[in-house]
Amino acid sequence: MRVFCHNCGHQNLQEANFCSSCGAPLVPLSEDTTVTFQALEGSVEGEEELTVTIPAIERGDGVLVVKRGPAAGTRYRLDAPVTRVGRHPESDIFLDDITVSRRHAEFHHDGHRFLVRDVGSLNGTYLNRVRIEEADLASGDEVQIGKFKLIFLLAEEG
């Protein structure tokens, strides 16, 4: 199992205390939660596990974690009613890759549920490997935007 550096995204051995690429400390804060993502059924053989540390989040809050892509291990909190994702520099979540449309997708949160909506992207938005226009999200769902694979996590309601 590998641990990703939250500073540069480099994969490190689990027992490492510092990133072997940039030297950043890999020690999680005491209130953080460690989550390990395993490959989904039917995934590409050899796809490695990803372990990231996420900050404590409030009940009902959502977080996206980049599982695969140039920024693996990066976390995005979904704390606004609408979070826009794309290659446009003013996107709430800026994914800088040609496979991502300038305005690609939106994540909506109404206080009770989260949903993802494709906003006319060229390559489409996928939820658990199925192309969607709009779909509700559940904790553990995999969202693919361009070559980025993101895992949606929802804090337990109680």
Side-chain angles (χ1 to χ4, degrees), residues 3-61:
V3 176
F4 283 80
C5 173
H6 298 294
N7 187 45
C8 72
H10 181 75
Q11 290 185 24
N12 294 277
L13 296 175
Q14 182 177 5
E15 57 272 1
N17 292 322
F18 296 93
C19 176
S20 62
S21 177
C22 72
L26 298 174
V27 179
L29 298 173
S30 60
E31 293 182 16
D32 290 348
T33 302
T34 300
V35 179
T36 300
F37 303 106
Q38 296 180 338
L40 292 174
E41 189 175 315
S43 63
V44 178
E45 189 167 330
E47 197 170 308
E48 296 182 25
E49 288 183 347
L50 169 65
T51 301
V52 295
T53 302
I54 60 173
I57 57 177
E58 298 293 320
R59 289 183 183 160
D61 281 357

Side-chain angles (χ1 to χ4, degrees), residues 83-156:
T83 303
R84 291 169 179 81
V85 181
R87 197 168 31 92
H88 192 283
E90 294 178 8
S91 297
D92 300 311
I93 298 176
F94 176 62
L95 299 178
D96 191 16
D97 188 80
I98 195 69
T99 61
V100 177
S101 295
R102 290 176 59 77
R103 290 178 176 79
H104 198 106
E106 295 175 343
F107 289 88
H108 293 260
H109 177 52
D110 65 6
H112 301 288
R113 67 183 185 135
F114 286 87
L115 66 89
V116 59
R117 176 181 296 146
D118 185 271
V119 290
S121 68
L122 181 62
N123 292 325
T125 301
Y126 293 80
L127 178 63
N128 299 323
R129 301 177 192 244
V130 175
R131 190 169 182 160
I132 56 98
E133 292 300 316
E134 179 176 305
D136 287 319
L137 291 169
S139 193
D141 279 347
E142 179 184 83
V143 177
Q144 184 170 347
I145 296 175
K147 69 180 182 181
F148 292 85
K149 290 186 179 180
L150 306 111
I151 301 297
F152 172 73
L153 300 172
L154 180 64
E156 294 293 323

Side-chain angles (χ1 to χ4, degrees), residues 73-86:
T74 303
R75 304 155 309 215
Y76 300 102
R77 191 176 211 147
L78 300 176
D79 54 2
V82 178
T83 303
R84 291 169 179 81
V85 181

